[in-house]
């Protein structure tokens, strides 16, 4: 007999019950304005909630001013609570839970957004953010860790059910974790316990506040083997409600996070003129291409499932009912998706109505990624008036 599906069964994520096992992952919408929410951001997440998802996640919210990379990014502060509450209340009316990802972009920030020279675990120059970086002082490290706790308070006031701590993808927490970006010689660098110190400080603040506010906590974590497994075990000891297993380091290989071919002409088209020239000349050498395959992180993620007892969330290349069932059958409690829900916010309802052959119309030509940081995250299939050269480039992609 075919195993009964878990996909549309409820799941209790800490104090919040999700109506099914699907989460809209925290892919950057680029739909904010002046570091706050907009009607466009609200309409998108409401459409995903109306489309049947268990929980939708607002992405990439900075815990403080120094963590901002983009003007369209959220800066989680009391001034934007009314606008965020408008979103969470609308999402709840559609039957979905609401989460917000909190983090600090570290060496991926810019002076114009962060209001200072970008800070990170160590000093240097970030070629992918085209900016110098200054190593954080000890007092700054303590202050930013406390900002994570304050961000949870703000998220609670805004009506969110869950926070997702971004500890992956080469942003600030993972800049401390990785010897690639952490060359410190003090108590925050060198050995793995030292490099984990900032992560532990942030989780101390987050978990204390979340317990007081009765909120769920997820942590996004990279799954490079073997050191990442030891870090995941440390995260597990905090009693978080789940780990989102992802991969990729934006200042080394940006497309390792998402996979699929990136249309370089399209990406450069939406950039400032000087950066446009740079990307057209050197983009093919700087941005490694990763072919897309469904469930592209699953085999590595299974190694974590075998070693950890806490709930795990699978993310990475889910575009069909069959792929989602494969992840759930491998022991993952929940799944996250982004591009399938950019292509069609009602994809989850279509999964419910269909069978194991139901598949997203997303073809992973990554137009949505190419325009994400300059405009907003939109599927090319919803943009009928694309310039001719962009249409031609997309048509040539496999």
């Amino acid at each position: 007999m075919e195993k009964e599906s878990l996909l549309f069964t409820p799941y209790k994520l800490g104090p919040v019950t999700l109506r099914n096992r699907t989460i809209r992952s925290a892919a950057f919408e680029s739909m904010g304005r002046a570091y706050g929410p907009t009607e466009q951001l609200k309409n998108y997440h409401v459409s995903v909630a109306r489309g049947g998802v268990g929980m939708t996640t607002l992405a990439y919210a900075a815990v403080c001013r120094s963590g901002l990379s983009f003007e369209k990014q959220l800066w989680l502060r009391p001034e934007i609570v009314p606008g965020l509450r408008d979103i969470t209340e609308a999402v709840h009316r559609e039957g979905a839970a609401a989460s917000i990802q909190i983090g600090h972009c570290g060496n991926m920030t810019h002076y114009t957004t962060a209001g200072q020279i970008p800070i990170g675990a160590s000093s240097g120059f970030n070629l992918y953010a085209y900016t110098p970086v200054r190593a954080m002082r000890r007092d700054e490290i303590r202050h930013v860790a406390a900002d994570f706790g304050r961000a949870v308070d703000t998220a609670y006031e805004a009506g969110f059910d869950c926070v997702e701590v971004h500890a992956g993808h080469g942003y600030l927490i993972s800049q401390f974790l990785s010897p690639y970006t952490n060359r410190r010689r003090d108590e925050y660098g060198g050995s793995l316990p030292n490099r984990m110190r900032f992560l532990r400080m942030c989780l101390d603040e987050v978990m204390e506040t979340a317990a007081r506010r009765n909120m769920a906590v997820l942590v996004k974590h990279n799954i490079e083997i073997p050191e990442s497994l030891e870090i995941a075990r440390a995260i597990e000891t905090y009693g978080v409600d789940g780990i989102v297993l992802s991969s990729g380091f934006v200042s080394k290989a940006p497309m390792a996070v998402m996979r699929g071919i990136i249309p370089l002409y399209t990406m450069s088209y939406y950039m400032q003129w000087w950066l446009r020239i740079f990307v057209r000349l050197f983009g093919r050498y700087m941005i490694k291409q990763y072919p897309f395959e469904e469930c592209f992180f699953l085999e590595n993620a299974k190694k974590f499932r075998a070693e950890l007892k806490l709930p795990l969330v699978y993310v990475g290349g889910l575009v069909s009912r069959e792929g989602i069932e494969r992840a759930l059958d491998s022991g993952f409690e929940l799944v996250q998706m982004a591009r399938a829900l950019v292509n069609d916010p009602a994809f989850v309802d279509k999964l419910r109505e269909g069978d194991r052959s139901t598949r997203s119309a997303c073809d992973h030509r990554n137009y949505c990624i190419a325009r994400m940081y300059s405009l907003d995250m939109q599927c090319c299939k919803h943009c009928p008036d694309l310039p001719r050269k962009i249409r031609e480039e997309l048509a040539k992609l496999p």
Side-chain angles (χ1 to χ4, degrees), residues 38 89 121 163 178 216 232 272 295 312 349 359 375 398:
T38 61
E89 289 176 351
V163 293
S178 173
Q272 297 173 337
C295 300
L312 297 177
D349 272 349
R359 190 175 184 86
L375 293 178

Side-chain angles (χ1 to χ4, degrees), residues 126-172:
N126 186 347
L127 186 60
Y128 283 86
Y130 42 91
T131 183
V133 180
R134 176 178 61 78
M136 293 175 71
R137 302 184 304 267
R138 287 180 176 88
D139 64 305
E140 289 177 305
I141 292 172
R142 291 190 295 269
H143 190 83
V144 171
D147 285 332
F148 274 83
R150 285 188 282 268
V152 178
D153 258 330
T154 306
Y156 171 81
E157 296 295 338
F160 287 97
D161 307 288
C162 177
V163 293
E164 178 181 301
V165 178
H166 201 338
H169 295 179
Y171 296 113
L172 185 61

Side-chain angles (χ1 to χ4, degrees), residues 35-49:
Y35 314 122
T38 61
E39 194 69 14
Q40 182 189 19
L41 183 67
K42 172 186 173 181
N43 290 341
Y44 172 68
H45 282 281
V46 169
S47 71
V48 172

Side-chain angles (χ1 to χ4, degrees), residues 294-322:
E294 191 164 12
C295 300
F296 48 76
F297 290 147
L298 186 56
E299 291 310 307
N300 263 355
K302 285 179 180 178
K303 299 173 185 176
F304 287 74
R305 180 68 288 167
E307 298 290 333
L308 300 170
K309 294 182 172 61
L310 85 168
L312 297 177
V313 184
Y314 177 78
V315 64
L318 293 178
V319 291
S320 73
R321 176 71 181 262
E322 189 279 330

Side-chain angles (χ1 to χ4, degrees), residues 234-288:
I235 295 171
E236 184 175 38
T237 65
Y238 280 84
V240 302
D241 298 299
I243 297 178
V244 181
L245 296 173
S246 188
S247 192
F249 210 89
V250 290
S251 60
K252 289 200 294 186
M255 287 307 296
V257 178
M258 295 164 284
R259 307 295 171 96
I261 303 299
I262 191 73
L264 290 174
Y265 174 85
T266 300
M267 175 179 279
S268 67
Y269 179 88
Y270 295 111
M271 292 176 169
Q272 297 173 337
W273 68 268
W274 59 272
L275 192 54
R276 182 183 310 142
I277 294 171
F278 185 82
V279 169
R280 289 181 185 177
L281 288 175
F282 303 109
R284 71 187 67 182
Y285 307 109
M286 292 182 60
I287 303 176
K288 183 179 178 181

